[in-house]
């Protein structure tokens, strides 16, 4: 077992920082609180049409979303309760 990283839902996650480091076109961001940050460039270079961002996400890093952000047809941010930091 890797002490720093693990993979679930086609996402590479840093355990210590609770950061989604890298994703794939068919990644599903876990909603169990294991991720609080979508890291810089996590979805860069992907061709996705929708993304669901759970309430556990507190920060979205610079250029974390793909270049085709304008062609994403569905972005769902599940009820935001706390102040979030989102950089695009």
């Amino acid at each position: 077992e890797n002490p720093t990283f693990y993979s679930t839902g086609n996402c590479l996650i840093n355990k210590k920082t609770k950061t989604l480091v890298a994703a794939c076109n068919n990644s599903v961001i876990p909603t169990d609180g294991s991720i609080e940050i979508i890291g810089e460039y996590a979805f860069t270079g992907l061709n996705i049409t929708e993304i669901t961002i759970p309430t556990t996400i507190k920060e979205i890093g610079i250029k974390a979303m793909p270049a085709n952000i304008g062609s994403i047809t569905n972005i769902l941010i599940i009820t935001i309760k706390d102040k979030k930091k989102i950089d695009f």
Side-chain angles (χ1 to χ4, degrees):
E1 182 175 313
N2 187 309
T4 305
F5 297 99
Y6 74 99
S7 177
T8 186
N10 289 316
C11 297
L12 179 63
I13 301 162
N14 182 314
K15 295 178 191 178
K16 295 176 183 177
T17 64
K18 294 188 171 188
T19 301
L20 189 159
V21 177
C24 300
N25 283 331
N26 58 350
S27 290
V28 177
I29 301 171
T31 58
D32 62 359
S34 61
I35 297 176
E36 293 181 353
I37 300 168
I38 297 175
E40 295 180 5
Y41 306 101
F43 286 90
T44 297
L46 301 181
N47 186 21
I48 59 175
T49 56
E50 65 179 54
I51 186 168
T52 300
I53 301 172
T55 57
T56 57
I57 301 301
K58 296 179 180 176
E59 180 178 331
I60 298 176
I62 295 170
K63 297 188 179 183
M65 294 297 120
N68 75 329
I69 188 88
S71 39
I72 293 178
T73 56
N74 188 18
I75 297 177
L76 174 61
I77 301 176
I78 302 171
T79 311
I80 294 178
K81 296 178 182 176
D82 300 322
K83 181 180 177 183
K84 309 290 181 183
K85 178 183 175 193
I86 301 174
D87 295 318
F88 285 98

